[in-house]
């Protein structure tokens, strides 16, 4: 029962697009991730996708729109909506998804779920 | 489909302990709240309680422990655990709970769910 410092957790790794689980909540994984460059286009049919930018700037492309998030900006990609997160420079993000959701939308290509 | 600036939403109201819903996610309400002073002791039997401090300092008392959160610190109170959030000075917090959860743990005394 300790608070989790998201900045401390983010300081434990460097690779972009490799989320680290830092807690759980109602069947969801609470994750931090470093965004850098473009991730792949994907979608999650069974979960909305929560993004909160902690540092830097994150763009989320969807097929018919694109949003830009700075620190303290939150966005939820509804389930089933194709999207591609990207960042021109490293950005730090809090992610929330149903536990076990493959980050690429596909278990074959997903990053392993790791703890930080 | 717009990003939500949590700081902008927090600037629209002043009353402490009156959460404002700023989005929804997988059957949960995403809320911002201003903490100031001590809230009441309560518990939620049907939902974990997610806290992320955005500004200031939040204490969460539980019956056998107390945690202190600063900006960028996250804490999840497990369902069923009695707790009392408090802040000596105004703190800004992102809260996530199952949609419709009474903030006091009791519909009779709960703040109305309002949008910001």
């Amino acid at each position: 029962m300790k608070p989790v410092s998201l900045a401390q957790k983010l300081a434990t790794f460097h690779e972009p697009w490799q989320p680290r689980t830092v807690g759980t909540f109602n069947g969801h994984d609470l994750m931090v991730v470093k965004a850098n460059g473009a991730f792949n286009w994907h979608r999650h049919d069974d979960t909305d996708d929560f993004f909160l930018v902690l540092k830097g700037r994150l763009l989320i492309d969807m097929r018919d729109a694109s949003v830009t998030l700075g620190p303290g900006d939150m966005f939820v990609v509804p389930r089933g909506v194709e999207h591609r997160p990207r960042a021109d420079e490293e950005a730090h993000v809090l992610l929330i998804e149903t536990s076990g959701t493959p980050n690429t939308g596909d278990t074959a290509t997903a990053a392993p779920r790791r703890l930080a």
Side-chain angles (χ1 to χ4, degrees), chain A residues 22-90:
Chain A
V22 297
T24 58
F25 167 76
N26 283 355
H28 292 79
D29 284 339
L30 306 168
M31 296 171 281
V32 289
V33 66
K34 290 185 169 174
N36 202 347
F39 196 57
N40 63 323
W41 281 99
H42 67 285
R43 69 180 197 206
H44 308 289
D45 286 329
D46 300 321
T47 181
D48 300 335
D49 214 356
F50 171 100
F51 296 85
L52 174 66
V53 171
L54 304 167
K55 184 177 167 185
R57 208 168 72 113
L58 180 74
L59 291 89
I60 302 175
D61 298 318
M62 290 160 288
R63 292 299 183 184
D64 54 0
S66 186
V67 296
T68 302
L69 286 73
D73 290 342
M74 183 185 85
F75 190 72
V76 176
V77 178
R79 62 189 63 197
V81 172
E82 273 198 299
H83 59 285
R84 177 181 65 176
R86 62 187 165 95
D88 294 333
E89 298 180 7
E90 184 176 278

